[in-house]
Amino acid sequence: MPFLGQDWRSPGQNWVKTEDGWKKTLEENNKVSLESFCKVKEEECFNKENLLLSLGYDMSAKKRKKDLMNNNTKAPYFHREKWIYVHKGSTKERHGYCTLGEAFNRLDFCSAIKDTRRFNYVVRLLELIAKSQLPSLSGVAQKNYMNILERVVQKVLDDQQNVRPIKELLQTLYGSLCGLVQDMGKSVLVGNINMWVHRMENILQWQQQLDNIQINRPTCTGMTLTDLPASLQLNIMNRLSDGRDLVSLGQVCPEMGALTEDRLLWKKLCQYHFTDRQIRKRLMLSDKGHLEWKKMYFKLSRCYPHREQYSDTLHFCTHCHILFWKDHPCTANNPENCTMSLSPQDFINLFNF
């Protein structure tokens, strides 16, 4: 059996059974002379000294490199739970609180990004957090936020869809970080300033990649949107909920541009997003005495938020105090009566106590 001496660098010994008894012999594979061993050590020390001298980095550069390495390291594990219990105080049965950062870490947002019905919901939630809630997140939650944002950007780059909302999200986040980085001494953000500067550089790089997206025209030889009758084209336009999409659609060809100027389209958009009281405060008349619904829409958009509508959202059970995506083990007799859908702003307000 091998035997190690007091010096752990020693080659070790073998005990071999012979006619005269047990004798110690060195392993053939581990026979290393003292001279060769010392020579190897001297060469290693010499190479290390030359390496350190050749680098010539100052302390700040070394620390920046270390921060970048730590920033590139992904979070080792995050919960992927479909529902979590939201407790707002300590009780005999449960201690502590459920914060926004804890809910952001534990809920399954990575899978929600891949779901088309939940994608816009997650993007809007990320934008609201970037505006005002980023300093309230823990260090792990802030790191998880950037990891999820990176996955969102990568999905948009791969699918070439939803480019505009992601551009607005990155612009909002970059503007918030510019102000927060200046207050690093006030413990606003968790981590070294070099790490956050590196993240801001990543945001600028993502914005550049989104600007360089070129959507290729499909090679389909069948019927296109411009080949449809004008009544069907107007029916499709009536289903758009963003006036900027109508403007972009009108730039396809002169015929489409004429259809997008339809006053009834812009009137329905104004009535969908804004209340009658808001509309009455921003009335605009043309020279002929008609209401300028298109101009009113963009003026109202600058003054009031748009109506938000999502295919799938987070839900909250008022009976169980459980936050969930689709379903949860409810103990109420009528779960439908105590379940409420949460908008992104409602989700954030749930933890502002």
Side-chain angles (χ1 to χ4, degrees), residues 2 20 60 67 89 103 117 131 181 191 194 218 222 237 293 320 342 351:
D20 299 332
S60 60
D67 293 334
R117 300 170 301 172
K131 286 182 178 179
V181 167
N194 292 329
M237 294 177 186
W293 288 105
C320 306
L342 297 180
F351 302 95

Side-chain angles (χ1 to χ4, degrees), residues 40-56:
V40 171
K41 287 298 179 181
E42 290 177 357
E43 291 179 355
E44 290 181 357
C45 295
F46 180 75
N47 292 333
K48 288 181 180 179
E49 292 177 358
N50 289 340
L51 180 61
L52 293 175
L53 291 175
S54 61
L55 291 177

Side-chain angles (χ1 to χ4, degrees), residues 73-80 140 143 147:
T73 304
K74 302 300 180 183
Y77 179 75
F78 291 109
H79 295 276
R80 295 292 180 264
V140 176
K143 190 172 185 179
N147 291 339

Side-chain angles (χ1 to χ4, degrees), residues 137-154:
L137 301 181
S138 63
V140 176
Q142 290 177 1
K143 190 172 185 179
N144 188 28
Y145 179 93
M146 298 303 299
N147 291 339
I148 292 178
L149 178 62
E150 182 178 359
R151 295 190 181 188
V152 170
V153 174
Q154 189 59 45

Side-chain angles (χ1 to χ4, degrees), residues 140-282:
V140 176
Q142 290 177 1
K143 190 172 185 179
N144 188 28
Y145 179 93
M146 298 303 299
N147 291 339
I148 292 178
L149 178 62
E150 182 178 359
R151 295 190 181 188
V152 170
V153 174
Q154 189 59 45
K155 176 177 173 57
V156 173
L157 292 175
D158 295 338
D159 300 343
Q160 295 186 347
Q161 298 179 1
N162 301 308
V163 178
R164 185 173 58 211
I166 306 305
K167 285 185 177 180
E168 295 175 354
L169 168 60
L170 294 179
Q171 184 177 0
T172 301
L173 178 59
Y174 187 83
S176 298
L177 289 179
C178 287
L180 294 175
V181 167
Q182 297 176 0
D183 298 331
M184 288 295 292
K186 302 178 182 178
S187 301
V188 177
L189 294 173
V190 180
N192 188 274
I193 187 173
N194 292 329
M195 178 180 65
W196 285 102
V197 169
H198 177 70
R199 290 175 176 174
M200 295 174 66
E201 292 174 354
N202 287 338
I203 294 174
L204 294 177
Q205 184 179 0
W206 293 337
Q207 289 177 331
Q208 185 65 31
Q209 292 175 354
L210 292 174
D211 292 336
N212 295 334
I213 287 182
Q214 296 181 356
I215 301 177
N216 299 324
R217 183 181 295 273
T219 58
C220 179
T221 57
M223 182 176 292
T224 61
L225 179 61
T226 55
D227 298 330
L228 296 176
S231 59
L232 290 180
Q233 292 179 2
L234 280 174
N235 191 13
I236 294 174
M237 294 177 186
N238 277 318
R239 301 177 184 273
L240 298 178
S241 60
D242 195 333
R244 293 172 296 182
D245 294 333
L246 277 178
V247 174
S248 300
L249 192 58
Q251 297 174 354
V252 175
C253 61
E255 291 78 10
M256 298 286 289
L259 290 177
T260 56
E261 295 296 330
D262 185 79
R263 295 176 61 252
L264 187 59
L265 282 176
W266 296 99
K267 178 180 178 180
K268 290 182 178 180
L269 274 180
C270 291
Q271 294 176 344
Y272 175 77
H273 288 288
F274 311 106
T275 63
D276 294 338
R277 183 178 180 181
Q278 293 172 345
I279 293 175
R280 287 195 297 267
K281 289 183 177 181
R282 298 291 187 275

Side-chain angles (χ1 to χ4, degrees), residues 22-50:
W22 290 88
K23 293 184 178 181
K24 293 185 291 185
T25 59
L26 291 174
E27 293 182 359
E28 294 183 0
N29 296 334
N30 293 332
K31 288 182 179 179
V32 181
S33 63
L34 181 60
E35 295 180 358
S36 60
F37 180 79
C38 295
K39 185 177 180 181
V40 171
K41 287 298 179 181
E42 290 177 357
E43 291 179 355
E44 290 181 357
C45 295
F46 180 75
N47 292 333
K48 288 181 180 179
E49 292 177 358
N50 289 340

